Amino acid sequence: MAAQGSVVQKEMLTAGAHYMDPPIVNIQLAQDLLDVCRSMSLWPMTFGLACCAIEMMATGMARFDMARFGAEVFRPSPRQADVMIVAGTVTKKMAPAVVRLYEQMPGPKWVISMGNCAISGGPFKIKDNYNVIEGVDTLIPVDVYVPGCPPRPEGLLEGFFQLQRLITGKRWWPVAAEVKG
Amino acid sequence: MSAYQNLEQMKGDFYTQKFEAGKQDGTLIINMGPQHPSTHGVLRIVIEVDGEYIVRSEPVLGYLHRMHEKMGETQTWGGFIPNMGRVDYGHPMAWNWAYVGAVEKLMGIEVPERAEYLRVIMTELNRLTSHLLWWGAYILDLGAFTPIMYAFDDREMLLDILQRPSASRLTYSNFRVGGVQMDLDDKCLELIRTFIPHFRERLPMYHDLVTENLILRRRIEGVGIIDEDMCQRYGCTGPVLRGAGVAYDVRKDEPYSIYDRFDFEIPTQDSACSAGRYHVRVAEMEQSLRIIEQALEQLPSAEGKHIMDKAPKPSMKPPAGEAYFAVEGGRGKIGVYVVSDGSKVPYRVKLRAPGFSNMNAFAEAAKGTILADAVAILGSLDLIIPELDR
Amino acid sequence: MLQLLEGIPTQCVAKQDKVSTGRAWSVFLAPAQIVKTARKLYEAEYSLEDVFALDIEEGFLVLYHFNRWNVDERVVLRVLISKDNPTIPSIASIFDGAEWHERETRDFHGVNFEGNPNLVPLLMCVEDVDFHPLLKTDKKRKQIKDLLNLGEVVSCNKEIEALFAEAEAEVASDA
Ligand code: SF4
């Protein structure tokens, strides 16, 4: 039995996994307003896969304190979350579960692919790869990529800012000054 | 070919179906994981419950199998070290050491004295971060949110120290065959010296906050018995074994490197329950501080090259043969076994993960307890899933 | 150790150099003897460290590491089994921890452990039940004598000696 090559296809997503009913009141201004509200209270899902998950935890804890940017409510259930941070290596055995979790999230929903593993297989993208999915974007649509192995918490925060920009079309926070030395 | 290509096959699940075969009447089979906050990653446990009581359980592993042993056979000897930083992100220094130590044995390389001290200091600092992470996450699992904030506060300070010589916050891979990659600079030593008294002050606060808390005690005392005989049968080591009253620590019983030069104790507890394991780990933090203090005092002053004198090139070719090296990690005995055929690539690398054996005892320990206790037991084993699945 | 092994027909017992290999004893056994030996080790308070296999030209070499808590005397049991019928009795009835180690070995190398209560894939996917990632290609596979040293032999039968014979002759000629 061959196990090489990309093992999981996009068809894993069931029909309607992206589908959202059109809003009842569809006025641009109202939508814009809602988008700002959404982007300022993103609820990520507690979904740690590997090493990167620890940095994700660190981002939410003391010092980095993601709560400052409105995203501290980590929910254990996908049904209460609207951002999925794929933090770590997705393996062949885990792939169906990742897809199922994504499908269980109510829309509108976003995905942050955190770490090299989730982006491309990272350090595990080797010739004889038989178990690691090379990029979570082969399974589910990804909105923001945060590279690093693991990305520093600052990196993840920057990823969140990017996501907020994606939702509202505007960056809300000042750009960090460059540190010398 | 791939079974995921049609959705038909996703409907059933092999492990649940197999487990269901032995089901009793009136019981319920539930599935914990692979995405469950208290499993600290992607562990999955299929549990049969009778009301609230666990009748049977079976952990399902492999959701994070990252082919480390396969990579060992395709990467060069030096190129495998980064993998060691990723096997167990709780205590990567110990894994670094286990692998590097095995290769050094094989090649008969002696490590410069200063490098030995640096290894001890960094490994013990890393043990503190590992225990702090466990401590915060364990209490979080049991329902208290605040302690993890304090734990991470101190942990961040340690990471600040450790990232100076290793250039990494989490996945350290700065050990080299024959030494360490970078020296600890003066700033770093100063930071460590200020950290020790600071942490000594914090430890009593941790106890006041958490250890004596009645709710915590009721939840962990007497729960999840793993006694000496079970440890022997399952091969449990580390705090699990010491929590069962056996004073076994690789640092003392199979002394490697320079650990015989330090004066430290092995904390043990006789209760063999989750509370025992909790107390052992908390007491170990104090012992690590003691080791670091002594190592700093004895640290031979030397600069530059003394940290990797005889280090071979990354493309080294160890002579044919085999070697086994064991070190004490945050979770127990880490063993690395390497076989060389005299080429640039290892013939076989076998990683013995302590968490693997500790987790193995879960099914027996959880039998007859209530479902909420399963979380208390899992947490007390201090699981790091990539280490289980490798 | 020698006392412990009394009454068990071993194939080869050898002392090993602790400094360079990290082990005290190495014992070659026939597959039929492994359960009996494991029981003796259990009674002598040894605990299991790991079980795994090596893919070599002569077949699969299954290795068991044992150590004691109070005394550091690591023992490695080695069982050579053929590729045609890679089957070996399971020791899971004595050391419960062996169950997972054996399942892992089956995943990686396809060695069957007879009597293991639950021999289904542990780390690999169920679909990959017949795929064993750590099998070597023919080109990379080596003979046992190119990989391991016998150590200081205490007793040894002809078969095992023959496996290592050439290597020793080479060493002799070098010297
Ligand atoms: S990207 Fe690096 S740190 Fe993150 S999960 Fe992968 S190996 Fe671990």
Side-chain angles (χ1 to χ4, degrees), chain A residues 93-166:
Chain A
K93 208 170 183 174
M94 190 63 200
V98 174
V99 174
R100 178 175 293 196
L101 285 168
Y102 177 76
E103 289 182 348
Q104 282 177 346
M105 282 164 57
K109 54 191 170 184
W110 300 277
V111 176
I112 295 182
S113 159
M114 178 185 183
N116 293 354
C117 281
I119 295 175
S120 69
F124 305 102
K125 187 174 163 52
I126 52 169
K127 211 174 84 218
D128 297 321
N129 177 6
Y130 62 88
N131 208 41
V132 169
I133 307 288
E134 293 174 1
V136 71
D137 50 4
T138 56
L139 304 172
I140 53 177
V142 175
D143 297 289
V144 176
Y145 298 86
V146 183
C149 183
R152 295 181 62 93
E154 293 94 325
L156 183 60
L157 286 178
E158 196 58 41
F160 261 94
F161 303 162
Q162 281 294 336
L163 186 60
Q164 287 174 339
R165 199 178 74 175
L166 202 80

Side-chain angles (χ1 to χ4, degrees), chain C residues 15-123:
Chain C
K15 250 191 189 155
Q16 299 236 307
D17 176 20
K18 234 185 208 172
V19 180
S20 66
T21 66
R23 298 179 296 207
W25 293 93
S26 140
V27 181
F28 276 87
L29 289 171
Q33 304 303 330
I34 183 74
V35 178
K36 212 165 142 196
T37 319
R39 169 142 300 125
K40 285 228 165 163
L41 286 172
Y42 175 68
E43 280 157 12
E45 297 200 329
Y46 274 89
S47 72
L48 181 71
E49 283 184 331
D50 49 26
V51 180
F52 59 97
L54 268 182
D55 182 6
I56 49 177
E57 247 170 49
E58 289 86 353
F60 291 115
L61 189 67
V62 184
L63 284 88
Y64 300 75
H65 277 117
F66 291 92
N67 205 352
R68 258 186 298 191
W69 295 327
N70 38 8
V71 197
D72 169 29
E73 200 176 36
R74 185 168 286 121
V75 181
V76 54
L77 304 183
R78 307 180 203 247
V79 183
L80 189 63
I81 51 177
S82 74
K83 283 250 162 78
D84 314 329
N85 180 22
T87 310
I88 182 169
S90 160
I91 60 164
S93 54
I94 300 155
F95 290 97
D96 299 56
E99 184 197 319
W100 281 15
H101 287 293
E102 287 172 354
R103 282 168 69 185
E104 186 197 305
T105 311
R106 198 204 162 281
D107 279 1
F108 286 167
H109 283 99
V111 177
N112 275 313
F113 289 84
E114 241 168 28
N116 186 309
N118 194 12
L119 203 60
V120 292
L122 179 71
L123 300 182

Side-chain angles (χ1 to χ4, degrees), chain B residues 39 43-46 57-61 226 230 234-237 240 331 353-366 374 377-379 381-385 387-389, chain C residues 97 100:
Chain B
T39 55
L43 176 70
R44 172 174 159 208
I45 306 172
V46 196
S57 61
E58 185 188 331
V60 179
L61 273 65
I226 300 181
M230 266 176 86
Y234 284 102
C236 305
T237 46
V240 178
R331 274 148 279 281
F356 188 78
S357 301
N358 294 353
M359 183 61 209
N360 215 332
F362 170 81
E364 196 175 322
I377 300 171
L378 274 179
L381 293 174
D382 189 6
L383 300 172
I384 296 278
I385 309 303
E387 181 197 56
L388 262 75
D389 294 351
Chain C
W100 281 15

Side-chain angles (χ1 to χ4, degrees), chain B residues 15 229 322 333 341 347 390, chain C residues 23 42 49 55 104 121:
Chain B
Y15 291 99
D229 179 56
E322 50 176 350
K333 186 194 318 187
D341 59 354
Y347 190 78
R390 275 157 295 144
Chain C
R23 298 179 296 207
Y42 175 68
E49 283 184 331
D55 182 6
E104 186 197 305

